[in-house]
Amino acid sequence: MRDRLLAAEKVKAIDWRDGVLYLLDQRSLPFEENWIACTRVADVAEAIGSMVVRGAPVIGISAAYGVVLAARARMAEGGDWQAALEADFALLTEARPTAANLFWALDRMRDRLGRLKEQAEPLAVLEAEAIAIHESDREANLTMAQLGVDLIRKHQGNAQAILTHCNTGALATGGFGTALGVVRGAYIEGMVERVYADETRPWLQGSRLTAWELACEGIPVTLNVDSAAAHIMKTKGVTWVIVGADCIAANGDVANKIGTYQLAVCAMHHGVRFMVVAPSSIIDMSLASGDDIPMEERDKRELLEIGGKGLGADVDAFNPVFDVTPADLIDVIVTEKGIIERPDTAKLAQLMCRKRLH
Ligand code: MRU
């Protein structure tokens, strides 16, 4: 399956070439494919905050390259460049609040910086670390795809239909995707007849990105409004809901795109299995439960306007970007270190002590 996944690779969101970070502008997809060149750390922070690049894993990878750009600029300024770099770490940290990979990647870059040997060339070391973060995410995607497919096979042979939410594919990661990597793998193995993609209001990651990615690979996809999900579970033979995560707390509560929680409630009601697919870098053991996860809220104009035009009454609006699915609604969390069925604090702690499976 690994080779067939690699062969099917068509879309990517991020490229590091000759010391420049190129990001595919996801705001204009699928109508236009514009690449934005980031040469300064401020470009990267702006790209993350304004959703040029989105999806927790690729946000973390972008931030790691952002640190390389920042270090290059600070070294050129002279003086105590490592002290000056702290302001750049802060800028990147503030770019988005929920995506745990962002903080994980920045911690890893800072840690690497702290272990620099006397004679080492700092820029080369930081660049190698960012590339390693990028590469390991790609590898993790492949491992998770295999584990997720094995689970689907174990539980019912064929998944006639899968429902997914937001975009968790190549655009959201350094490789093939988390949840969408499992979907891709299951399709390659002949185990999926149809994928239902929630459109994912208000940014439409489902209709603009997931449907586009799947269509590019010829995977049968049907788009639906978010509020059709329960009806689809009841009437369309859905056997799995498969989603990604932005942050997983120590007890297995999962923060993901707004609407995920209600999918989990509906899945339990309909006897549909619920799978969360995310690299272990999403798990933050310092957060005891979902209540401790910082949750992003965006501008209410995202709900009140479309293309700058008001949609109706000038009222207040509430625009939470993520919600928390309690661990007890989750059948399984798939990571590159292994799977956890019926997650809880003890099982997550055990998983975090393990090495990666590849
Ligand atoms: O606001 P977004 O588009 O960054 O939200 C993305 C999600 O919620 C994804 O499900 C999550 O980051 C996992 S991506 C592999």
Side-chain angles (χ1 to χ4, degrees), residues 51 54-57 59 96 165-169 172-173 177-179 205 244-246 256-257 277 296 321-322:
M51 308 277 285
R54 32 67 48 204
I59 287 174
R96 280 192 84 183
H165 192 61
C166 196
N167 173 268
T168 59
T173 63
T178 55
Q205 289 95 330
D246 264 75
N256 190 48
K257 179 54 55 194
V277 188
E296 180 177 4
V321 179
F322 300 104

Side-chain angles (χ1 to χ4, degrees), residues 193-263:
E193 283 171 14
R194 183 145 299 273
V195 181
Y196 288 92
D198 286 353
E199 65 173 349
T200 319
R201 281 275 292 147
W203 273 83
L204 303 177
Q205 289 95 330
S207 46
R208 293 188 304 103
L209 308 178
T210 297
W212 180 66
E213 274 197 43
L214 293 177
C216 282
E217 288 177 29
I219 299 177
V221 54
T222 298
L223 185 65
N224 56 270
V225 293
D226 300 334
S227 45
H231 178 66
I232 289 170
M233 285 185 215
K234 188 173 163 191
T235 58
K236 299 290 185 188
V238 173
T239 46
W240 284 92
V241 172
I242 309 183
V243 296
D246 264 75
C247 182
I248 302 180
N251 70 342
D253 288 352
V254 169
N256 190 48
K257 179 54 55 194
I258 190 75
T260 303
Y261 176 25
Q262 65 202 27
L263 289 180

Side-chain angles (χ1 to χ4, degrees), residues 318-341:
F318 175 45
N319 186 18
V321 179
F322 300 104
D323 58 25
V324 173
T325 301
D328 58 8
L329 293 179
I330 296 168
D331 287 294
V332 60
I333 296 177
V334 175
T335 78
E336 85 289 1
K337 292 185 171 195
I339 65 164
I340 310 174
E341 302 203 59

